[in-house]
Amino acid sequence: MGQKVHPKGLRLGIVYNWNSRWFFSNKKAYRQALLSDCRIRLELMRKLSYASVTQIDIERAINKIALIIYSVKPGMIIGRGGKGLEEVKKFVSSYLGEDTKKKAFKLEIKIEPVKKPYLDAYYVAQTIAEKLIKGFPHRSVVHNAMNRAKEAGAKGIKIQLGGRIAGAEISRREKYFQGTIPTSTIREEVDFAKFPALTKSGYIGVKVWLCK
């Protein structure tokens, strides 16, 4: 089961909650809300990458949208006197379009700190990818990330790299394990993330499974 099922998708509603929490019975409204959620999440992740954003949750009501942004460096998003937060609000409003013109409409943004970043699969994958882009040796980068995750209290961690690793002519896959990763056990909290690293020789895909 390990490779065929998304570890988070398998545990939705049991261990993990949905990242978008709302429901519309109208098909058109549902489609539009889903599309705008995907756009907001993608653009905010790109825009706020300097603050190591790991997750964005979106909650919708009739005249209200709440965004919960989980960040390793929350102070960098908020900025001096909350200036950064206002910029984020303007940015999100531009993507929401007509909804924000309603008088009763409310847009709420909460910034939540990630207290143990090495227990977050997305952050681990992102740090590995960033170091690979800078040209660090892949084995030492991976082993360092695994050791730090274990120190943070992880039961186990699995990392997979795929592509032209270390500038090799033929692409390959390499897997690294430490501790236990019970991918088939639904009650276990297994976090999963993937992140691309655009190196000089091409893309290297980084996948991280982390058992909390």
Side-chain angles (χ1 to χ4, degrees):
M1 193 186 280
Q3 299 301 311
K4 297 163 203 72
V5 176
H6 195 290
K8 271 188 147 178
L10 182 70
R11 291 164 177 82
L12 268 179
I14 301 156
V15 175
Y16 292 105
N17 202 348
W18 280 259
N19 287 352
S20 291
R21 295 186 282 275
W22 46 265
F23 182 77
F24 295 115
S25 55
N26 180 356
K27 281 184 182 180
K28 192 184 176 185
Y30 193 102
R31 187 169 67 241
Q32 286 171 345
L34 183 64
L35 196 63
S36 78
D37 273 18
C38 292
R39 279 180 183 162
I40 289 165
R41 201 172 276 121
L42 194 73
E43 290 301 321
L44 274 183
M45 283 289 210
R46 199 177 294 156
K47 188 178 166 66
L48 303 173
S49 58
Y50 60 87
S52 299
V53 172
T54 59
Q55 189 181 314
I56 296 169
D57 289 355
I58 300 168
E59 293 174 352
R60 287 174 185 261
I62 296 163
N63 283 326
K64 185 186 169 186
I65 292 179
L67 261 80
I68 304 153
I69 301 168
Y70 294 87
S71 170
V72 177
K73 302 165 189 169
M76 289 181 83
I77 299 172
I78 297 160
R80 278 191 180 179
K83 271 187 182 178
L85 210 57
E86 286 303 314
E87 277 180 32
V88 173
K89 271 192 177 181
K90 280 180 189 173
F91 183 75
V92 174
S93 298
S94 69
Y95 270 88
L96 292 170
E98 290 176 13
D99 292 340
T100 51
K101 290 171 188 173
K102 294 174 187 173
K103 281 185 181 178
F105 184 81
K106 263 182 87 178
L107 174 63
E108 229 177 78
I109 294 174
K110 296 174 194 170
I111 312 292
E112 292 286 335
V114 177
K115 286 169 186 174
K116 289 185 177 178
Y118 276 90
L119 280 184
D120 193 294
Y122 188 87
Y123 179 76
V124 175
Q126 191 180 25
T127 45
I128 291 168
E130 282 170 1
K131 284 179 182 177
L132 290 176
I133 291 163
K134 287 173 186 172
F136 284 84
H138 68 281
R139 281 193 185 91
S140 66
V141 167
V142 167
H143 286 295
N144 180 41
M146 288 198 297
N147 291 336
R148 294 196 66 175
K150 288 288 279 180
E151 281 166 21
K155 269 189 187 179
I157 183 167
K158 178 169 83 170
I159 295 168
Q160 181 181 295
L161 303 179
R164 289 180 62 188
I165 301 162
E169 281 188 26
I170 298 167
S171 67
R172 64 179 192 275
R173 277 192 297 177
E174 281 188 18
K175 282 184 187 177
Y176 302 88
F177 297 86
Q178 206 165 310
T180 55
I181 299 282
T183 41
S184 307
T185 313
I186 292 171
R187 66 173 175 266
E188 282 287 0
E189 198 178 342
V190 178
D191 197 5
F192 172 77
K194 50 187 177 181
F195 201 92
L198 181 53
T199 61
K200 286 176 185 176
S201 52
Y203 271 108
I204 292 175
V206 181
K207 285 184 180 179
V208 175
W209 289 258
L210 202 145
C211 181
K212 296 179 185 182

